[in-house]
């Protein structure tokens, strides 16, 4: 039985750990493993190579993905689904293990509904995949962001500045909320709640009036902002589109810093973490979680559990329907964000 593996969407710490685990577990089932290069593009372009114990040795701790990745969606390519089906038939592929986030797994869901044998693994630093408690890559991104916030504290206090730290999070604020709480941020702004800059400025002014000489503001890149009470909130973009045709985000931290300084008179700087959050070695937690996902995904193929995704529930790895996992994004609930708000100021 031949099983293909792909990694789609943005890169993420822990991808190589999943690939390694799938290949190791495949030996027990007698599967022949194939690696598809650059996500779904590997099927569209018939670009692949054999995965073996030797080719996946020594990759557990490495960031990125040895398979490469892209945001190509077969359903947005002319005759994409038919080309994928032909490639699967031509290469004798019994099943595909798709490791990815919102876009990759949404495509996997549609392909499964078209009769293809697909198993999913939830990958994203944003932690926005439904039906699982955590995605791998999230813990690493939070650790990186928290370390950055810790470092910003010391320089903000020394110079008596306000420092805005912009973190990733297109639609959800999990990274901002977790890293903000862990790093002791004074304000956390997330996509789930449009940011009122008047209230942000008033909050920072109250802090300074109470004797605080610096403030740390953490903002997710997809946070919508209101420049004034009579304006609609807006998403800040660079004006360009990414590979998936979505607006490329960026700049909310810069606008926020400018507005805070203009409204308060306090010197304000911005630090944009960007792709630093995606890179480098995964944390031990993500290595273990990714490994457990990979083993379970391979077992799902062996059991014929297609149209499903490996998921974490409590401390157990279970199988859930791909449709349930991709029906909507998992957003930061209000009651969880209220925990962060206890410490604002």
């Amino acid at each position: 039985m031949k099983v293909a593996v792909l990694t789609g969407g943005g890169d993420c710490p822990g991808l190589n750990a999943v690939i390694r685990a799938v290949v190791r577990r495949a030996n027990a089932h007698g599967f022949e493993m194939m690696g598809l290069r650059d996500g779904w593009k590997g099927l569209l372009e018939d670009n692949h190579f054999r995965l073996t114990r030797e080719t996946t040795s020594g990759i557990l701790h490495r960031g990125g993905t040895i398979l490469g990745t892209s945001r190509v969606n077969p359903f947005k390519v002319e005759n994409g689904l038919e080309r994928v089906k032909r490639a699967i038939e031509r290469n004798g592929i019994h099943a595909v293990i798709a490791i990815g986030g919102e876009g990759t797994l949404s495509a996997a869901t549609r392909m499964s509904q078209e009769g293809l044998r697909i198993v999913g693994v939830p990958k994203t630093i944003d932690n926005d995949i439904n039906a699982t408690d955590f995605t791998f890559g999230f813990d690493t991104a939070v650790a990186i962001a928290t370390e950055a916030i810790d470092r910003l504290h010391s320089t903000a206090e020394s110079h008596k500045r306000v420092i805005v730290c912009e973190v990733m999070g297109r639609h959800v604020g999990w990274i901002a909320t977790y890293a903000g709480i862990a790093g002791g941020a004074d304000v956390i702004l997330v996509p789930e709640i449009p940011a009122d800059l008047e209230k942000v400025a008033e909050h920072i002014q109250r802090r300074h009036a109470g004797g605080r000489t610096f403030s740390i503001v953490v903002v997710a890149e997809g946070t919508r902002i209101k420049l004034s009470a009579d304006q609609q909130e807006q998403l800040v973009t660079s004006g360009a589109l990414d590979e998936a045709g979505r607006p490329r985000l960026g700049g909310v931290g810069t606008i926020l810093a400018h507005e805070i300084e203009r409204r308060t008179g306090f010197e304000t700087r911005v630090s944009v973490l960007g792709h630093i959050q995606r890179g480098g070695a995964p944390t031990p937690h993500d290595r273990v979680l990714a490994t457990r996902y990979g083993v379970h995904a391979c077992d799902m193929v062996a059991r014929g559990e297609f149209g499903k995704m490996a998921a974490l529930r409590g401390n157990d790895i279970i199988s859930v329907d791909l449709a349930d996992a991709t029906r909507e994004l998992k957003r930061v609930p209000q009651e969880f964000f209220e925990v962060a708000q206890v410490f604002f100021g």
Side-chain angles (χ1 to χ4, degrees):
M1 183 185 297
K2 184 181 291 186
V3 179
V5 183
L6 65 85
T7 56
D11 65 311
C12 178
L15 281 167
N16 285 323
V18 180
I19 297 166
R20 171 180 175 270
V22 167
V23 172
R24 293 292 179 91
R25 189 61 167 174
N27 291 337
H29 294 301
F31 296 161
E32 178 185 346
M33 299 303 299
M34 171 192 291
L36 300 172
R37 288 191 172 95
D38 301 331
W40 294 112
K41 188 188 290 187
L43 279 173
L44 292 170
E45 299 180 354
D46 224 356
N47 190 357
H48 50 77
F49 64 101
R50 188 177 181 190
L51 288 174
T52 65
R53 189 184 183 99
E54 290 70 33
T55 59
T56 56
S57 177
I59 66 172
L60 173 66
H61 64 286
R62 289 171 53 186
T65 165
I66 63 169
L67 299 180
T69 187
S70 73
R71 298 187 188 277
V72 171
N73 185 335
F75 292 97
K76 295 184 179 181
V77 176
E78 187 175 359
N79 299 319
L81 178 61
E82 293 306 315
R83 289 167 60 184
V84 166
K85 288 181 176 180
R86 287 197 297 268
I88 287 175
E89 183 178 358
R90 183 167 56 249
N91 290 286
I93 298 171
H94 175 78
V96 175
I97 297 176
I99 311 168
E102 170 203 358
T104 301
L105 294 182
S106 292
T109 300
R110 290 184 61 183
M111 287 187 185
S112 176
Q113 292 166 346
E114 293 286 342
L116 299 182
R117 292 185 287 260
I118 308 286
V119 165
V121 175
K123 168 241 68 166
T124 168
I125 66 170
D126 288 336
N127 196 40
D128 60 359
I129 300 298
N130 216 4
T132 184
D133 289 349
F134 289 101
T135 57
F136 73 87
F138 173 66
D139 185 71
T140 303
V142 169
I144 292 169
T146 301
E147 181 182 358
I149 294 166
D150 287 347
R151 293 174 182 272
L152 292 175
H153 262 284
S154 60
T155 187
E157 185 174 11
S158 297
H159 290 274
K160 299 179 176 58
R161 290 171 174 161
V162 177
I163 296 187
V164 176
C165 180
E166 181 184 316
V167 301
M168 283 188 165
R170 170 175 286 273
H171 301 295
V172 302
W174 287 105
I175 294 175
T177 303
Y178 265 69
I181 293 174
D186 304 298
V187 178
I188 301 173
L189 302 174
V190 296
E192 289 85 347
I193 305 172
D196 188 327
L197 299 192
E198 285 291 342
K199 291 183 179 179
V200 171
E202 289 171 3
H203 175 70
I204 292 174
Q205 286 172 324
R206 283 196 302 271
R207 277 181 49 78
H208 282 241
R212 308 305 204 284
T213 61
F214 72 97
S215 295
I216 299 293
V217 178
V218 176
V219 58
E221 62 182 352
T223 301
R224 296 177 181 272
I225 61 174
K226 292 172 63 176
L227 294 176
S228 63
D230 59 345
Q231 283 189 336
Q232 292 289 326
E233 64 266 11
Q234 62 186 47
L235 189 66
V236 182
T237 71
S238 67
L241 301 179
D242 66 15
E243 200 173 9
R246 303 174 304 181
R248 186 170 294 162
L249 302 184
V252 66
T254 300
I255 291 177
L256 187 58
H258 172 77
E259 288 297 318
I260 289 173
E261 183 165 312
R262 184 179 71 83
R263 294 164 190 254
T264 67
F266 304 137
E267 183 180 1
T268 306
R269 301 295 178 86
V270 61
S271 181
V272 180
L273 299 189
H275 290 81
I276 290 174
Q277 296 156 93
R278 312 189 79 99
T283 60
H285 177 275
D286 275 339
R287 298 182 198 191
V288 173
L289 181 58
T291 297
R292 295 180 70 194
Y293 277 151
V295 170
H296 189 84
C298 202
D299 289 346
M300 288 167 70
V301 173
R303 293 191 295 262
E305 291 183 0
F306 302 118
K308 293 184 177 294
M309 180 190 82
L312 179 69
R313 291 284 179 83
N315 196 39
D316 298 323
I317 304 295
I318 64 171
S319 305
V320 299
D321 288 340
L322 269 169
D324 290 338
T326 58
R327 184 170 292 116
E328 61 182 0
L329 293 175
K330 184 181 69 179
R331 303 183 186 278
V332 179
Q334 178 63 33
E335 59 269 23
F336 187 88
F337 191 71
E338 287 174 357
V339 173
Q341 291 177 315
V342 170
F343 302 94
F344 289 1

mmCIF file of all heavy atoms in Angstrom, residues 73-92:
data_model
loop_
_atom_site.group_PDB
_atom_site.id
_atom_site.type_symbol
_atom_site.label_atom_id
_atom_site.label_comp_id
_atom_site.label_asym_id
_atom_site.label_seq_id
_atom_site.Cartn_x
_atom_site.Cartn_y
_atom_site.Cartn_z
ATOM 1 N N ASN A 73 -4.190 25.844 -3.758
ATOM 2 C CA ASN A 73 -5.438 25.124 -3.515
ATOM 3 C C ASN A 73 -5.907 24.518 -4.834
ATOM 4 O O ASN A 73 -6.208 25.248 -5.780
ATOM 5 C CB ASN A 73 -6.500 26.082 -2.971
ATOM 6 C CG ASN A 73 -7.794 25.376 -2.584
ATOM 7 O OD1 ASN A 73 -8.112 24.308 -3.095
ATOM 8 N ND2 ASN A 73 -8.546 25.990 -1.687
ATOM 9 N N PRO A 74 -5.979 23.185 -4.932
ATOM 10 C CA PRO A 74 -6.380 22.549 -6.202
ATOM 11 C C PRO A 74 -7.732 23.019 -6.722
ATOM 12 O O PRO A 74 -7.967 23.018 -7.933
ATOM 13 C CB PRO A 74 -6.423 21.056 -5.842
ATOM 14 C CG PRO A 74 -5.513 20.915 -4.677
ATOM 15 C CD PRO A 74 -5.669 22.185 -3.898
ATOM 16 N N PHE A 75 -8.618 23.444 -5.824
ATOM 17 C CA PHE A 75 -9.952 23.871 -6.244
ATOM 18 C C PHE A 75 -9.937 25.278 -6.848
ATOM 19 O O PHE A 75 -10.951 25.734 -7.371
ATOM 20 C CB PHE A 75 -10.921 23.796 -5.069
ATOM 21 C CG PHE A 75 -11.211 22.388 -4.626
ATOM 22 C CD1 PHE A 75 -10.529 21.830 -3.559
ATOM 23 C CD2 PHE A 75 -12.144 21.619 -5.304
ATOM 24 C CE1 PHE A 75 -10.786 20.528 -3.150
ATOM 25 C CE2 PHE A 75 -12.403 20.320 -4.916
ATOM 26 C CZ PHE A 75 -11.720 19.768 -3.842
ATOM 27 N N LYS A 76 -8.795 25.952 -6.764
ATOM 28 C CA LYS A 76 -8.649 27.261 -7.385
ATOM 29 C C LYS A 76 -7.756 27.194 -8.627
ATOM 30 O O LYS A 76 -7.370 28.218 -9.175
ATOM 31 C CB LYS A 76 -8.093 28.263 -6.375
ATOM 32 C CG LYS A 76 -9.049 28.529 -5.216
ATOM 33 C CD LYS A 76 -8.526 29.588 -4.269
ATOM 34 C CE LYS A 76 -9.519 29.849 -3.141
ATOM 35 N NZ LYS A 76 -9.023 30.900 -2.206
ATOM 36 N N VAL A 77 -7.431 25.968 -9.035
ATOM 37 C CA VAL A 77 -6.625 25.729 -10.228
ATOM 38 C C VAL A 77 -7.508 25.071 -11.279
ATOM 39 O O VAL A 77 -8.335 24.209 -10.949
ATOM 40 C CB VAL A 77 -5.418 24.817 -9.900
ATOM 41 C CG1 VAL A 77 -4.634 24.495 -11.163
ATOM 42 C CG2 VAL A 77 -4.533 25.471 -8.856
ATOM 43 N N GLU A 78 -7.367 25.468 -12.519
ATOM 44 C CA GLU A 78 -8.182 24.898 -13.593
ATOM 45 C C GLU A 78 -8.034 23.379 -13.646
ATOM 46 O O GLU A 78 -6.921 22.851 -13.707
ATOM 47 C CB GLU A 78 -7.787 25.507 -14.938
ATOM 48 C CG GLU A 78 -8.699 25.085 -16.076
ATOM 49 C CD GLU A 78 -8.359 25.782 -17.374
ATOM 50 O OE1 GLU A 78 -7.421 26.606 -17.378
ATOM 51 O OE2 GLU A 78 -9.033 25.510 -18.389
ATOM 52 N N ASN A 79 -9.147 22.675 -13.573
ATOM 53 C CA ASN A 79 -9.172 21.207 -13.579
ATOM 54 C C ASN A 79 -8.332 20.605 -12.453
ATOM 55 O O ASN A 79 -7.822 19.489 -12.569
ATOM 56 C CB ASN A 79 -8.686 20.653 -14.925
ATOM 57 C CG ASN A 79 -9.557 21.094 -16.076
ATOM 58 O OD1 ASN A 79 -10.789 21.132 -15.961
ATOM 59 N ND2 ASN A 79 -8.932 21.450 -17.202
ATOM 60 N N GLY A 80 -8.204 21.352 -11.350
ATOM 61 C CA GLY A 80 -7.334 20.920 -10.263
ATOM 62 C C GLY A 80 -7.737 19.589 -9.657
ATOM 63 O O GLY A 80 -6.887 18.713 -9.450
ATOM 64 N N LEU A 81 -9.021 19.402 -9.368
ATOM 65 C CA LEU A 81 -9.469 18.160 -8.756
ATOM 66 C C LEU A 81 -9.216 16.973 -9.667
ATOM 67 O O LEU A 81 -8.734 15.917 -9.207
ATOM 68 C CB LEU A 81 -10.952 18.256 -8.406
ATOM 69 C CG LEU A 81 -11.573 16.997 -7.806
ATOM 70 C CD1 LEU A 81 -10.886 16.626 -6.496
ATOM 71 C CD2 LEU A 81 -13.080 17.196 -7.583
ATOM 72 N N GLU A 82 -9.521 17.132 -10.955
ATOM 73 C CA GLU A 82 -9.293 16.023 -11.894
ATOM 74 C C GLU A 82 -7.803 15.706 -12.014
ATOM 75 O O GLU A 82 -7.421 14.535 -12.121
ATOM 76 C CB GLU A 82 -9.883 16.372 -13.273
ATOM 77 C CG GLU A 82 -11.399 16.475 -13.278
ATOM 78 C CD GLU A 82 -12.060 15.223 -12.726
ATOM 79 O OE1 GLU A 82 -11.634 14.111 -13.111
ATOM 80 O OE2 GLU A 82 -12.984 15.370 -11.907
ATOM 81 N N ARG A 83 -6.962 16.726 -12.009
ATOM 82 C CA ARG A 83 -5.518 16.494 -12.079
ATOM 83 C C ARG A 83 -5.017 15.751 -10.846
ATOM 84 O O ARG A 83 -4.153 14.877 -10.935
ATOM 85 C CB ARG A 83 -4.783 17.825 -12.236
ATOM 86 C CG ARG A 83 -4.966 18.465 -13.607
ATOM 87 C CD ARG A 83 -4.498 19.909 -13.621
ATOM 88 N NE ARG A 83 -3.074 20.028 -13.291
ATOM 89 C CZ ARG A 83 -2.449 21.197 -13.162
ATOM 90 N NH1 ARG A 83 -3.148 22.326 -13.315
ATOM 91 N NH2 ARG A 83 -1.171 21.232 -12.881
ATOM 92 N N VAL A 84 -5.564 16.100 -9.683
ATOM 93 C CA VAL A 84 -5.197 15.393 -8.456
ATOM 94 C C VAL A 84 -5.627 13.932 -8.526
ATOM 95 O O VAL A 84 -4.862 13.020 -8.200
ATOM 96 C CB VAL A 84 -5.832 16.083 -7.226
ATOM 97 C CG1 VAL A 84 -5.762 15.181 -5.996
ATOM 98 C CG2 VAL A 84 -5.132 17.403 -6.937
ATOM 99 N N LYS A 85 -6.854 13.697 -8.976
ATOM 100 C CA LYS A 85 -7.349 12.324 -9.089
ATOM 101 C C LYS A 85 -6.499 11.495 -10.049
ATOM 102 O O LYS A 85 -6.177 10.330 -9.761
ATOM 103 C CB LYS A 85 -8.809 12.326 -9.558
ATOM 104 C CG LYS A 85 -9.808 12.786 -8.507
ATOM 105 C CD LYS A 85 -11.226 12.736 -9.057
ATOM 106 C CE LYS A 85 -12.248 13.095 -7.985
ATOM 107 N NZ LYS A 85 -13.640 13.054 -8.508
ATOM 108 N N ARG A 86 -6.126 12.098 -11.165
ATOM 109 C CA ARG A 86 -5.304 11.370 -12.144
ATOM 110 C C ARG A 86 -3.934 11.042 -11.562
ATOM 111 O O ARG A 86 -3.393 9.952 -11.790
ATOM 112 C CB ARG A 86 -5.169 12.184 -13.426
ATOM 113 C CG ARG A 86 -6.434 12.233 -14.273
ATOM 114 C CD ARG A 86 -6.127 12.680 -15.698
ATOM 115 N NE ARG A 86 -5.597 14.036 -15.735
ATOM 116 C CZ ARG A 86 -6.336 15.131 -15.881
ATOM 117 N NH1 ARG A 86 -7.664 15.013 -15.971
ATOM 118 N NH2 ARG A 86 -5.794 16.323 -15.932
ATOM 119 N N ALA A 87 -3.361 11.997 -10.824
ATOM 120 C CA ALA A 87 -2.036 11.767 -10.228
ATOM 121 C C ALA A 87 -2.087 10.649 -9.193
ATOM 122 O O ALA A 87 -1.175 9.812 -9.111
ATOM 123 C CB ALA A 87 -1.525 13.054 -9.596
ATOM 124 N N ILE A 88 -3.154 10.619 -8.407
ATOM 125 C CA ILE A 88 -3.310 9.575 -7.396
ATOM 126 C C ILE A 88 -3.435 8.209 -8.060
ATOM 127 O O ILE A 88 -2.807 7.222 -7.647
ATOM 128 C CB ILE A 88 -4.532 9.871 -6.503
ATOM 129 C CG1 ILE A 88 -4.215 11.048 -5.566
ATOM 130 C CG2 ILE A 88 -4.948 8.641 -5.710
ATOM 131 C CD1 ILE A 88 -5.392 11.502 -4.721
ATOM 132 N N GLU A 89 -4.233 8.140 -9.122
ATOM 133 C CA GLU A 89 -4.408 6.876 -9.840
ATOM 134 C C GLU A 89 -3.130 6.461 -10.552
ATOM 135 O O GLU A 89 -2.721 5.287 -10.506
ATOM 136 C CB GLU A 89 -5.558 7.016 -10.838
ATOM 137 C CG GLU A 89 -5.867 5.725 -11.584
ATOM 138 C CD GLU A 89 -7.045 5.885 -12.533
ATOM 139 O OE1 GLU A 89 -7.637 6.994 -12.566
ATOM 140 O OE2 GLU A 89 -7.369 4.902 -13.233
ATOM 141 N N ARG A 90 -2.469 7.409 -11.207
ATOM 142 C CA ARG A 90 -1.243 7.119 -11.967
ATOM 143 C C ARG A 90 -0.135 6.587 -11.073
ATOM 144 O O ARG A 90 0.631 5.697 -11.470
ATOM 145 C CB ARG A 90 -0.792 8.396 -12.671
ATOM 146 C CG ARG A 90 0.429 8.216 -13.565
ATOM 147 C CD ARG A 90 0.628 9.424 -14.458
ATOM 148 N NE ARG A 90 0.731 10.673 -13.711
ATOM 149 C CZ ARG A 90 -0.185 11.635 -13.724
ATOM 150 N NH1 ARG A 90 -1.300 11.494 -14.429
ATOM 151 N NH2 ARG A 90 -0.022 12.759 -13.026
ATOM 152 N N ASN A 91 -0.049 7.109 -9.850
ATOM 153 C CA ASN A 91 1.025 6.706 -8.951
ATOM 154 C C ASN A 91 0.628 5.593 -7.984
ATOM 155 O O ASN A 91 1.438 5.195 -7.148
ATOM 156 C CB ASN A 91 1.505 7.921 -8.153
ATOM 157 C CG ASN A 91 2.245 8.930 -9.003
ATOM 158 O OD1 ASN A 91 3.383 8.705 -9.400
ATOM 159 N ND2 ASN A 91 1.585 10.052 -9.301
ATOM 160 N N GLY A 92 -0.582 5.108 -8.109
ATOM 161 C CA GLY A 92 -1.019 4.010 -7.253
ATOM 162 C C GLY A 92 -1.086 4.376 -5.783
ATOM 163 O O GLY A 92 -0.780 3.555 -4.910
#
